[in-house]
Amino acid sequence: MFSIGSAAASKDSTAAGSKPNVLILLFDDMRFDTFSYRGGPVPTPNIDSLAQEGTRFDNAITSTGLCSPSRAALFTGRWGHKTGLDDNVHLYHSRLSELALSEGGLLRRAANSGYNVSYVGKWHLGAQGPSLRGANFIWGHDKDAERHARPFVPRTTKASIDRYYRGELDGNNEKHEYYRTLAGTFESTEAGIEVAKGQQMLRAAARDGQPFFGIVSFEQPHPPYRVPEPYASMFDPQQVELPGNHGIERVNKPMSQDDIVWPWHDVGHMTETDWRKTRAFYYGAIAMIDHAVGELIKTAKEEGLYEDLHIVLLGDQGSMLGEHNLYDKGPYAYDELMRMPLIVRSPGIAPRTISRLVSMLDVAPTLSEIMSLPADGEVDGRSLLPLMERGDKADGKRPDIALYAYEWYNGGWFGIRAIRTPTMKFVWNPGDDTDELYDLENDPLEINNLIGEKSYRKKLLQLIGHMESELVRIKDPAIETFHHHMKIYKK
């Protein structure tokens, strides 16, 4: 089995009866800014190695800062208004229990094309979803779950928050809804089990002889941040650096950012020490994840798979660690949530760094081209292979923009759309009376909402034009309301 170095090579290899092997390493709520290859505070030698061997997309934007919608976009290349998946599934208040089976996405397309499709870990798009799409679902919570069952209700989380307000703590004097030292070792954690199952998957692929498409989807570093030693003590909470937007009062912001949409969003009990511990445990989780990546790469090398293996490493979205006094994720478009890490290692393509804005929607078209998969309908993303092969210049005069949306959060509607350029961001909040405009050059922490500043009117109108073009292109049903709401800025 051999691998490819370009889209043309992909087509030639398929015609010759050989297909490239592909591995996705997917992480849950993993920020873009923590790794050492990005100058972050956590030594991540294994992830750094992938970045050095592959294409770094340093300005990748998720589709939605919420697990299920971003994952649906990842595997289908389509926005939620087309797939029907625009909210979390199977959680308190959620309207949805699964991604429609008619949306087979990359898994079904690969399985129908002769790939051995294997899945390990979190799916979060409905019970039994990978196996119903033709995958050999080796391990994960969704594997044997009942379809359309009652949702998870966070009663224990609510009880924990109530205890914290009473001054009580959990075991080890910790707030386990935010940070927790796990008993045991890495191998006994969920991430450790996912690594072991992923290694099993790789060893089976090496023996199988079929072209291989595998996904290892980690539930780390999703909050609450929970790690065993040595990761729990790896970073001194008193030494972590807090950003300039940490814990600040939100001024001239949408009221929806104050909503307690999940019990642990109620952070009034959090002290600075609590926030520092939360951040330190998050950093420990990133270090643990880097170890996990190293273990999987080591196995791929031992099994003779690595040299010709295409690897995509990404997070489904970021997460808030106290910036703007927010925790986890919610209906907003701050960079800490909106940006995601994305590395694509493709044998035969020289390593490079891409500064152009790219989207979660682009991953499916890219892998479709690499794997020569048949189309399954219209996609909203574009293949990233030209950027991988030729660098930023491949985009020519294409506008350097990315669209982001936040339609629902667990049954609550927000309808947010955001458009980002390298220097500016506009956020339309149709369920609120306040939109947002940020000058990312002069205010990268997005503290000052400039939506009413007359000196920024020209830039605002340019961003509105970009958003309008994108909404029209993707056939967004919100376009009529958008036109109506934008009249106030065009007077």
Side-chain angles (χ1 to χ4, degrees):
M1 223 179 288
F2 65 92
S3 194
I4 66 170
S6 67
S10 174
K11 295 178 175 61
D12 292 344
S13 67
T14 302
S18 180
K19 296 184 175 73
N21 291 327
V22 177
L23 174 66
I24 293 179
L25 301 177
L26 175 60
F27 297 91
D28 203 1
D29 291 14
M30 185 165 71
R31 293 164 59 115
F32 76 97
D33 58 354
T34 314
F35 316 103
S36 45
Y37 85 88
R38 296 297 301 263
V42 183
T44 50
N46 297 300
I47 294 174
D48 292 359
S49 179
L50 274 181
Q52 291 163 5
E53 294 181 15
T55 304
R56 290 171 42 176
F57 292 94
D58 280 2
N59 289 297
I61 305 296
T62 191
S63 59
T64 305
L66 194 61
C67 295
S68 297
S70 62
R71 288 160 183 265
L74 165 64
F75 289 114
T76 67
R78 288 185 276 274
W79 285 101
H81 63 272
K82 294 181 179 177
T83 66
L85 201 295
D86 53 9
D87 193 1
N88 263 341
V89 305
H90 203 244
L91 289 173
Y92 180 54
H93 280 318
S94 297
R95 305 145 37 241
L96 306 171
S97 61
E98 65 181 18
L99 175 66
L101 293 183
S102 59
E103 292 289 340
L106 287 173
L107 275 66
R108 182 177 294 155
R109 294 163 68 192
N112 289 345
S113 298
Y115 274 87
N116 172 9
V117 180
S118 298
Y119 202 101
V120 169
K122 178 175 177 175
W123 170 247
H124 207 182
L125 290 170
Q128 306 171 42
S131 57
L132 290 170
R133 289 168 173 81
N136 173 21
F137 197 168
I138 295 175
W139 188 83
H141 291 307
D142 302 312
K143 181 176 184 293
D144 301 311
E146 178 187 358
R147 292 179 67 197
H148 309 300
R150 284 186 180 269
F152 171 77
V153 178
R155 297 184 187 278
T156 57
T157 302
K158 174 63 167 61
S160 294
I161 304 305
D162 292 341
R163 289 200 310 275
Y164 303 154
Y165 271 106
R166 295 196 298 267
E168 301 174 23
L169 295 173
D170 300 316
N172 204 32
N173 291 321
E174 296 173 342
K175 292 184 175 180
H176 287 173
E177 298 298 334
Y178 301 86
Y179 53 92
R180 181 177 188 177
T181 303
L182 295 176
T185 64
F186 167 77
E187 287 74 19
S188 62
T189 65
E190 199 153 26
I193 295 170
E194 286 161 343
V195 165
K197 296 296 182 180
Q199 290 171 320
Q200 175 186 335
M201 178 182 75
L202 291 168
R203 292 179 184 120
R207 296 191 301 269
D208 182 68
Q210 268 185 284
F212 166 68
F213 178 41
I215 299 97
V216 183
S217 176
F218 290 89
E219 299 192 40
Q220 285 276 11
H222 191 292
Y225 304 117
R226 58 227 183 272
V227 291
E229 294 292 1
Y231 305 102
S233 301
M234 188 171 286
F235 298 89
D236 182 352
Q238 296 309 312
Q239 297 300 315
V240 300
E241 184 177 346
L242 299 178
N245 57 358
H246 176 84
I248 63 170
E249 181 182 358
R250 296 185 295 274
V251 178
N252 192 26
K253 307 283 183 162
M255 186 175 174
S256 58
Q257 294 183 18
D258 301 327
D259 290 352
I260 307 300
V261 288
W262 195 257
W264 62 34
H265 294 156
D266 186 354
V267 295
H269 58 87
M270 292 287 280
T271 66
E272 181 178 313
T273 296
D274 289 327
W275 281 121
R276 287 181 172 278
K277 288 181 177 180
T278 297
R279 185 172 288 267
F281 274 68
Y282 175 82
Y283 292 170
I286 294 297
M288 186 174 74
I289 281 170
D290 185 74
H291 173 71
V293 170
E295 290 296 293
L296 290 170
I297 289 175
K298 179 182 176 183
T299 299
K301 290 179 177 178
E302 290 172 347
E303 296 297 325
L305 291 171
Y306 187 77
E307 184 178 350
D308 294 331
L309 185 62
H310 298 254
I311 301 176
V312 179
L313 183 146
L314 76 164
D316 57 359
Q317 68 263 323
S319 193
M320 310 300 289
L321 293 171
E323 297 90 353
H324 305 279
N325 206 36
L326 296 168
Y327 174 65
D328 181 41
K329 50 191 172 288
Y332 36 78
Y334 294 119
D335 267 7
E336 293 89 353
L337 177 63
M338 183 174 169
R339 295 176 69 176
M340 68 181 200
L342 176 61
I343 300 168
V344 183
R345 175 194 184 267
S346 198
I349 296 182
R352 68 175 76 243
T353 298
I354 299 299
S355 63
R356 300 284 291 189
L357 287 156
V358 301
S359 170
M360 175 69 83
L361 281 297
D362 300 333
V363 177
T366 303
L367 290 181
S368 297
E369 188 168 5
I370 288 173
M371 300 163 72
S372 293
L373 301 180
D376 69 342
E378 183 180 72
V379 295
D380 296 312
R382 43 91 174 240
S383 173
L384 298 176
L385 273 173
L387 288 172
M388 293 167 61
E389 293 172 337
R390 298 170 48 213
D392 287 331
K393 65 182 180 182
D395 264 3
K397 296 182 179 180
R398 179 190 181 101
D400 195 6
I401 59 174
L403 181 70
Y404 171 90
Y406 215 115
E407 191 71 16
W408 298 81
Y409 184 108
N410 292 14
W413 179 78
F414 300 92
I416 295 167
R417 304 289 186 271
I419 197 80
R420 195 190 193 283
T421 74
T423 60
M424 296 292 297
K425 182 187 293 183
F426 170 61
V427 187
W428 173 44
N429 295 289
D432 202 288
D433 61 1
T434 302
D435 296 328
E436 297 161 87
L437 179 68
Y438 298 108
D439 181 341
L440 301 177
E441 279 190 313
N442 297 306
D443 179 27
L445 299 180
E446 299 172 275
I447 295 172
N448 301 309
N449 181 9
L450 302 171
I451 195 64
E453 294 291 330
K454 292 182 179 179
S455 60
Y456 280 85
R457 184 175 184 274
K458 182 177 180 181
K459 291 184 177 180
L460 172 61
L461 292 177
Q462 289 174 339
L463 291 165
I464 289 172
H466 285 313
M467 184 176 287
E468 179 179 33
S469 297
E470 281 294 281
L471 298 183
V472 169
R473 181 183 71 84
I474 66 174
K475 303 180 178 66
D476 193 319
I479 187 65
E480 184 176 355
T481 303
F482 174 78
H483 283 150
H484 183 72
H485 285 191
M486 293 305 105
K487 289 178 182 179
I488 190 173
Y489 301 121
K490 295 181 179 182
K491 290 180 179 179

